[in-house]
Amino acid sequence: MDKIKLLTLTVIVLLLLNLGTLGFLLINGPKPRPDFGHKNPQEMIIERLHLDQKQQKTYQNLIQWHRGTIDSLDDQIRNTKYRLYLQLLKTNVDTATKDSLIGVLAATQRQIEETHFKHFEGIKKLCKPEQMEDYYDLTQELSRIFSKPPRPRHD
């Protein structure tokens, strides 16, 4: 077999391998998060729970409290992580400081989860009895709806 035929065959095989790999990735690649009709969580909750105007107004207040609290806690986490990773600049990391900052991060993350939980307790309290079944259905999906998509790993 001469060099031209060998080169042509190699290019064709590589092209087929690439197409096969792309096809495999498209079919078996990461699954997208559920599409809720391109609605933001607020719109989705209002729709799913069939909130009336008065309930929506109360819900807006819950959202403002929730966002303010979560934003503040997120800032605390960012600042604490900054201080934690500054420890890496030291020749000898102060273990007590490192452990203390990690403890602060854990406590702040706990506050975030408690805030989320209180937020949904507040939503539950504003539901009327006929909305409770919809609320219970929603609670079954909360972790899936509001979780962040997994980040790609680096190896």
Side-chain angles (χ1 to χ4, degrees):
M1 185 180 278
D2 64 354
K3 290 181 182 180
I4 298 288
K5 287 183 180 177
L6 181 61
L7 183 60
T8 303
L9 182 63
T10 303
V11 168
I12 290 171
V13 168
L14 289 174
L15 182 63
L16 290 174
L17 281 172
N18 282 332
L19 291 173
T21 302
L22 286 174
F24 176 80
L25 289 175
L26 288 174
I27 292 170
N28 298 317
K31 303 296 180 217
R33 289 179 59 165
D35 180 18
F36 297 105
H38 302 292
K39 291 181 174 71
N40 65 35
Q42 175 184 344
E43 292 171 335
M44 192 217 23
I45 287 173
I46 289 170
E47 183 179 298
R48 295 275 301 269
L49 298 179
H50 311 289
L51 300 180
D52 62 29
Q53 290 300 317
K54 183 179 177 189
Q55 289 172 312
Q56 288 181 39
K57 193 170 189 175
T58 304
Y59 180 48
Q60 289 299 323
N61 294 334
L62 282 172
I63 290 171
Q64 288 177 350
W65 167 81
H66 182 253
R67 284 184 183 158
T69 304
I70 293 299
D71 288 348
S72 173
L73 292 169
D74 282 343
D75 287 343
Q76 288 177 31
I77 285 179
R78 257 188 307 283
N79 292 333
T80 305
K81 283 184 177 184
Y82 176 77
R83 292 176 30 222
L84 174 65
Y85 293 122
L86 280 178
Q87 295 297 309
L88 294 170
L89 297 175
K90 297 180 178 181
T91 305
N92 295 316
V93 173
D94 180 1
T95 306
T97 302
K98 176 192 70 131
D99 291 345
S100 172
L101 291 170
I102 290 172
V104 169
L105 287 171
T108 308
Q109 186 62 46
R110 179 184 172 97
Q111 286 179 291
I112 286 174
E113 296 308 322
E114 287 175 353
T115 301
H116 290 324
F117 196 85
K118 282 182 185 177
H119 177 65
F120 285 101
E121 281 183 318
I123 293 171
K124 180 180 182 181
K125 287 177 185 173
L126 71 88
C127 287
K128 297 174 184 174
E130 61 269 15
Q131 294 169 312
M132 291 310 293
E133 188 173 331
D134 293 326
Y135 176 82
Y136 293 138
D137 291 342
L138 177 67
T139 60
Q140 300 294 314
E141 301 177 45
L142 287 178
S143 63
R144 184 174 52 85
I145 293 170
F146 295 103
S147 64
K148 294 179 181 176
R151 287 193 219 160
R153 294 182 354 175
H154 67 52
D155 293 323

